[in-house]
Amino acid sequence: MDTVAFKYDIGDILRDKVTGLQGVVIVRAEYASRSRSYGIQPREIQNNTVPEYTWLDETTLELVESDVVDFGFEKLKSGWWHPWF
């Protein structure tokens, strides 16, 4: 099986080219069709509530800034993430 080659990393800030939604990548997935999606968490709190993350297709996203949020995980050579503790 091929190694997944995601274009963006966990912790990057991305913007959706269609809607303008911007947020931090908190999760990503690859499907059997080989398409890749990212869970984008907006950083703004609205009405004292943290908005839910939204799944968006990789083809509609653009990088705003990389490695903005450090979740305390170390990226291994295999591409998998591993906690430091």
Side-chain angles (χ1 to χ4, degrees):
M1 176 176 270
D2 295 337
T3 302
V4 177
F6 287 100
K7 187 173 182 179
Y8 306 110
D9 284 324
I10 304 291
D12 288 351
I13 294 182
L14 304 179
R15 180 178 21 252
D16 181 32
K17 294 182 269 188
V18 176
T19 66
L21 177 70
Q22 182 172 304
V24 178
V25 177
I26 62 168
V27 64
R28 57 190 184 178
E30 180 181 37
Y31 301 96
S33 64
R34 306 301 280 172
S35 68
R36 294 175 192 90
S37 294
Y38 296 80
I40 306 302
Q41 174 71 58
R43 298 187 86 181
E44 300 82 26
I45 294 177
Q46 302 167 354
N47 300 321
N48 292 324
T49 305
V50 176
E52 293 190 25
Y53 69 91
T54 303
W55 282 102
L56 296 166
D57 191 78
E58 184 176 82
T59 60
T60 69
L61 296 169
E62 61 186 0
L63 182 66
V64 173
E65 194 172 348
S66 61
D67 295 325
V68 174
V69 178
D70 180 5
F71 291 101
F73 288 83
E74 179 182 352
K75 188 172 182 183
L76 304 177
K77 289 180 183 177
S78 66
W80 292 92
W81 291 82
H82 176 66
W84 284 29
F85 52 87

